[in-house]
Amino acid sequence: MTVASRPTPRLLTAGQLFLDLVFADLATAPRLGEEHWTPAFGWGPGGIANYAIAAARLGVDTVLCADAGTDALSGLVRERLADEGIADGIREVSDWALPVTAAMNYDGDRALVTGGRPAAPMASLLQNAPVTPVAALHIDDSVSEWVRERAAAGTKVFADIGWDADEDWDLAALDVLDGCHAFLPNEAEARAYTRADDARAAARALAERVPLAVVTRGGHGVIAVDAATGTEVEIGAVAIDFVDATGAGDVFGGALAAAELTTWTLRERVEFATLVAAITVSRPGGAAAAPRLDELLPWLDAHPAAADPARFAFLRAALHDGASPFAAPPRPTPSSHRTRI
């Protein structure tokens, strides 16, 4: 029996992996001694897996590099990732268990509690990672050299640093962005690092460090600045009935990294990622609720008040007759004729 070879990954994702347990649609935060029930519950791989799942569901061949344990929950997460068609670049660590995060959604946002210990720095994890056109990383100091080498080879690295738990917001922490193509902080992170008064000023300041600075603003939309062309894009949110914010920024990042593989304009790429994230937060479960490519137009048709129809005309054109904007370019075939000299 002939076994079909696996497609070559076009997107590499790497970072901290979790098991997420998501409790959505809570009226209030639980108080001591109380038990709250909600039917809006979901679970699945979290952390960097949010990027990978979002991209894979859009039809992009994706590999995920992360640490996992040999515990039962690690096995469960790996099975779910395999079900999503994501290539397994996971390194097993025998004396470490996968962290578990409980996300509780109420008052338009979510609170997180994580049990476990963080994974080791990623440098050794990425030594044998496949070369891809685009990569999305939860970046740390250990991968700076790797990022510069991949950037020199043509890989566009989308970086997420995450929340500063110490809240020092030292600008020196952004030195790890050297070589990265894009930085994707939320507004609170962007303003804290840059000491800017608003999201636009923060995005402009960050564009001095990376070619593409993208600041997400939750229900207020997104601001993106292309440093090379000076293009600035500000778009509003897609109108949805909010259910669950878990992983929304990561899903946005995964969709935006995937969109880098298209010929779309910056505005269209940001609009696309915003739509994918909006659909996700309208359903419980974090990235487990991320839409597939063939769901996007039916969702827009079923929610005519979500956005002006003209806003996503480019997407309708791109998806006509089942086409995919992420299709890999055809490989050149060897010529059957020999060139005479």
Side-chain angles (χ1 to χ4, degrees), residues 159-334:
D160 181 11
I161 293 177
W163 188 261
D164 181 354
D166 297 325
E167 298 193 25
D168 293 330
W169 305 108
D170 185 355
L171 275 173
L174 299 186
D175 291 345
V176 298
L177 297 175
D178 184 28
C180 292
H181 174 71
F183 180 37
L184 312 175
N186 62 38
E187 181 175 4
E189 294 163 345
R191 291 179 60 184
Y193 275 121
T194 62
R195 279 65 171 174
D197 292 332
D198 57 57
R200 180 177 293 277
R204 289 173 176 172
L206 293 171
E208 297 176 2
R209 290 180 171 267
V210 288
L212 179 62
V214 183
V215 177
T216 57
R217 307 179 65 210
H220 298 289
V222 180
I223 294 176
V225 178
D226 183 325
T229 65
T231 303
E232 295 187 8
V233 170
E234 181 172 1
I235 65 167
V238 175
I240 50 96
D241 292 326
F242 170 86
V243 174
D244 174 16
T246 306
D250 289 347
V251 169
F252 173 90
L256 188 66
E260 192 67 30
L261 296 167
T262 72
T263 59
W264 291 336
T265 66
L266 175 60
R267 176 174 291 277
E268 290 168 344
R269 298 197 304 271
V270 176
E271 292 276 25
F272 173 78
T274 300
L275 174 64
V276 173
I279 295 174
T280 303
V281 302
S282 71
R283 310 191 284 212
R292 300 188 183 279
L293 192 63
D294 60 6
E295 289 184 70
L296 301 183
L297 297 186
W299 189 91
L300 286 170
D301 291 339
H303 299 82
D308 183 329
R311 180 173 175 179
F312 292 104
F314 76 93
L315 187 58
R316 292 188 181 278
L319 300 183
H320 71 281
D321 300 329
S324 170
F326 308 108
R331 294 183 178 180
T333 55

Side-chain angles (χ1 to χ4, degrees), residues 118-142:
M122 292 194 299
S124 60
L125 176 69
L126 292 174
Q127 285 179 352
N128 299 314
V131 177
T132 55
V134 182
L137 271 64
H138 285 165
I139 204 162
D140 62 36
D141 291 337
S142 74

Side-chain angles (χ1 to χ4, degrees), residues 17 64-76 78-79 88-98 119-120 124-125:
L17 184 63
L64 185 147
C65 294
D67 281 338
T70 55
D71 56 295
L73 295 182
S74 291
L76 190 64
R78 294 181 75 171
E79 288 178 8
D88 188 337
I90 287 176
R91 175 176 64 183
E92 284 191 354
V93 182
S94 60
D95 60 347
W96 180 80
L98 194 71
S124 60
L125 176 69

